[in-house]
Amino acid sequence: MSFIQEGISLVAQTDPEVAQSIQRELDRQKGNIELIASENIVSPAVLAAMGTVLTNKYAEGYSGRRYYGGCEYVDEVETLAIERAKKLFGAEHANVQPHSGAQANLAAYMAVIDPGDKVFGLSLAAGGHLTHGAPANASGKLYDFTQYGTDPVTGLIDYDFLAEKVAEEKPKLVVAGASAYPRIIDFERIGRIAHDNGALFMVDMAHIAGLVASGDHPSPVPYADIVTTTTHKTLRGPRGGMILCRSEFAKKIDHAIFPGTQGGPLEHVIAGKAVCFLEALSDDFREYQHRIVRNSKALADALLEKGFSLVTGGTDNHMSLIDLRPMGVTGIDMQHRLDSVRITANKNAVPNDPQKASVTSGLRVGTPAVTTRGFNEDDMREVAELIYLTASRYDEKKNEIIERVKALCDAHPIYE
Ligand SMILES: *Cc1c(COP(=O)(O)O)cnc(C)c1O
C-alpha cells in the first residue's frame, strides 16, 4: 500500500537505520504465516490514524475536563471512541485511555481493592496472564493472590474447586480471563461464585474481545463489575487497552487511570481505537470473527488427525494449545524450527509441564491474523500439514515447507 511505503520513505530521509528495520518488519509480516494468537493485522485506516498529528497533543484528564487548552478536537475523538465501545459491548461506561492491557488491569485493581487484599486469579500455568497475580508482576507483589487452575485430566477450568476456595477464603475480587485457554469460559458461573461470596468480579477479555463483540464467545459484560481488554488482539485495533464497567465504578476507574497510574493519554492511539470500534460494529467484522473460529476448528481438527495432542482435546475459540510431547520436540525447539520456515508461533506451557518455562512442551497457535489475510479452512489444513512436517521431518522437508509457506502468503497478500 503506497502510504505505508511513503511513510517508510519519510522515516528514511531522516533515519535510514530505523527505516530499514521497519521495512524488514513489513516484509516479514508479508512473508510469514502469523499464528501468534494475540496478534493481528490492522486495517489501513487504523494504521493511518495512529500516524497522525494527534500524537502532538497533551490531554491529561477526560473529555470536557482536561488540564490543557486546545483539547476540543481530541475530545471529539475520545468521545467517539467511548460511545462506540459502549455500543459495541453494551457497557455502561468505557475508559479508552489505558496504554495497554497490563495498564488497564493495574488501574482496575487500584480502583476497587487495596494493597494486601485477597484476590483470585487463573494461574499462568493454566493459561492465565502475568497481571493476574504472578509473583514477578506488580499484581502479585501488591495483592494477596490465590491462583486457581485447570483440571489436570480435562484441562478445563475447575469451577468446583474455585467455588469451594472462594467460599472458604472470601476474597475481595475474583478475576477471570486468560491468554492461553482454548475453550469458552463460563463468566456467568464465575460471576455467581464471586457475587454469592461478597466478592467483586472482574473479567480480562484481552484475547477474546473480538469474539465477544461478534457473539462467538458469551459476553462477560452482563456478569462482571469490571471488564478489561486489549484492543489489538482479536479486536484488531491499535496496540492498547480499555476498561468497561458498570456506572457505579465509572468514577473510580477513571480516577485510577488518571491520575492514578497514567499521565497524558495517547490520543493518536485512541483515534485508532475509535476507528477499530467502528469497524467492529459492522457485519463484515462479525463475519470475520465467525471465520476466525471456523479456521481455528479446522486447524485443530487437522492437527489432531496428524497425531498431535491438544490441551482440552480441541478448541471453541481462536486458538489451540498443542501438547508436543507425542512428537518428541519441545516448545522452544518447535518455535525455532517454525521461525526458520517462516511460520511464527510461540512456545507455551501445557498443564503440569515437565519442562521449565523457557523450554515448555507446548505451542500456542491462533487464527486471528491469518484469517484477516484471507486464509480459509483448506489453507488451515495446509498449515497443519506444514506444522506436522516441521515437527516430524524437518531436516528433510525444510526447503519444501518454505516454498509452501510462500505459496500461501502469495495467495493472501497484505497491505498490497
Ligand atoms: C495480552 C494480555 C494482557 C496484556 O496486554 P498488554 O497490552 O500486552 O499489556 C492482559 N491480559 C490478558 C489476558 C492478555 O491476554
Side-chain angles (χ1 to χ4, degrees), residues 35 65 333 390 394:
L35 296 178
R65 39 200 174 96
D333 284 344
T390 304
Y394 174 70

Side-chain angles (χ1 to χ4, degrees), residues 193-264:
I193 293 169
H195 291 144
D196 283 354
N197 289 283
L200 291 173
F201 181 38
M202 167 177 150
V203 171
D204 174 355
M205 63 171 183
H207 257 264
I208 55 169
L211 302 178
V212 167
S214 66
D216 287 277
H217 191 293
S219 174
V221 172
Y223 310 110
D225 301 289
I226 297 171
V227 176
T228 61
T229 185
T230 62
T231 49
H232 51 272
K233 297 181 182 176
T234 47
L235 201 49
R236 203 167 62 184
R239 188 159 292 280
M242 173 165 72
I243 305 177
L244 306 171
C245 64
R246 295 201 277 110
S247 306
E248 84 177 272
F249 298 104
K251 267 208 171 117
K252 284 183 172 169
I253 287 292
D254 286 353
H255 197 68
I257 284 290
F258 177 84
T261 51
Q262 292 190 172

Side-chain angles (χ1 to χ4, degrees), residues 349-412:
V350 296
N352 302 310
D353 203 315
Q355 301 282 0
K356 53 185 184 190
S358 56
V359 178
T360 79
S361 304
L363 190 79
R364 191 182 64 162
V365 289
T367 54
V370 290
T371 305
T372 291
R373 70 189 292 172
F375 280 38
N376 60 25
E377 287 156 272
D378 283 337
D379 297 323
M380 298 323 300
R381 287 183 270 276
E382 168 74 351
V383 169
E385 169 80 13
L386 298 179
I387 293 173
Y388 171 69
L389 291 175
T390 304
S392 60
R393 297 163 71 187
Y394 174 70
D395 290 326
E396 167 200 351
K397 291 283 187 184
K398 185 177 171 193
N399 291 332
E400 179 192 324
I401 300 166
I402 292 172
E403 284 307 308
R404 288 166 73 172
V405 167
K406 184 173 184 315
L408 277 169
C409 289
D410 288 349
H412 303 288

Side-chain angles (χ1 to χ4, degrees), residues 13 17 32 39 41 52-53 80 91 140 157 191 305 390 409:
Q13 284 173 25
E17 283 176 287
N32 281 44
E39 293 192 11
I41 301 161
T52 61
V53 297
L80 281 169
I157 289 173
E305 263 172 43
T390 304
C409 289

